[in-house]
């Protein structure tokens, strides 16, 4: 796992998030307030409120998700992998999915725990019932078959798992 791949999977496209438009409205209100209070000669406190709204909206609307993904990636590298990138291998079997990190078995996920197969442009996300956790499978890294044959295998073998497109903000 490297920083570029992690960004593709974990950091959304900020302009496709619903919350982006809320922060866009706050940004416009902040700019308007900042300029308006400056023109009418209001106290610096009122101008500061406008500036504060602008900076908060830019931080939360644009940079927050990317910075959160960056922090998570750096802390994971630091805590588990001695400041190095790590290799993750996913083995899909009939009974379960096994995850191997740097050649060692890390986790097993039963098919009964998987509720949804979400498809993005470059990866699949096999999501658990809470929708937060899941197994990520890179479409370009299959050693047997390809992404289309995997999708067909999922339809035939696990019809109980819902197949959908991933949220637009994460479709990279």
């Amino acid at each position: 796992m490297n920083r570029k791949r992690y960004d593709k999977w974990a950091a959304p496209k900020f302009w496709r998030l619903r919350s982006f438009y809320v922060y866009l409205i706050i940004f416009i209100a902040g700019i308007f307030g900042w300029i308006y209070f400056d023109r009418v000669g209001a106290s610096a406190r009122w101008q500061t409120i406008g500036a504060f709204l602008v900076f908060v909206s830019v931080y939360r609307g644009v940079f927050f998700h990317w910075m959160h993904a960056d922090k998570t990636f750096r802390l994971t590298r630091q805590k588990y992998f001695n400041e190095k990138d790590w290799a993750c291998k996913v083995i899909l079997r009939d009974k379960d999915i096994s995850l191997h990190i740097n050649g060692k078995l890390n986790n097993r996920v039963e098919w009964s725990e998987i509720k949804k197969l979400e498809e993005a442009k470059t990866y699949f996300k096999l999501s658990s019932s809470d929708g937060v956790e899941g197994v990520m499978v890179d479409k370009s890294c299959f050693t047997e078959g390809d992404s289309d044959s995997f999708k067909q295998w999922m339809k035939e073998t696990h019809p109980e798992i819902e197949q959908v497109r991933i949220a637009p903000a994460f479709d990279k």
Side-chain angles (χ1 to χ4, degrees), residues 32-43 46-47 49-50:
F32 175 77
W34 195 357
I35 293 170
Y36 175 76
F37 291 131
D38 183 49
R39 300 265 174 158
V40 298
S43 69
W46 288 103
Q47 294 174 30
I49 290 172

Side-chain angles (χ1 to χ4, degrees), residues 109-124:
V109 180
E110 300 292 327
W111 283 108
S112 60
E113 297 175 35
I114 303 296
K115 301 299 179 197
K116 191 186 314 182
L117 171 67
E118 297 176 278
E119 182 179 4
K121 290 177 187 170
T122 59
Y123 65 94
F124 293 109

Side-chain angles (χ1 to χ4, degrees), residues 92 117 119 122 124 137-154:
L92 304 165
L117 171 67
E119 182 179 4
T122 59
F124 293 109
V137 180
D138 195 331
K139 284 184 172 181
S140 64
C141 294
F142 283 91
T143 56
E144 292 182 24
D146 60 358
S147 61
D148 292 330
S149 62
F150 168 70
K151 196 172 171 183
Q152 185 62 33
W153 178 80
M154 285 293 295

Side-chain angles (χ1 to χ4, degrees), residues 72-84:
T72 303
F73 181 79
R74 283 186 295 108
L75 290 176
T76 302
R77 274 179 52 164
Q78 178 184 10
K79 186 174 182 180
Y80 299 111
F81 304 109
N82 296 327
E83 299 288 336
K84 297 178 183 168

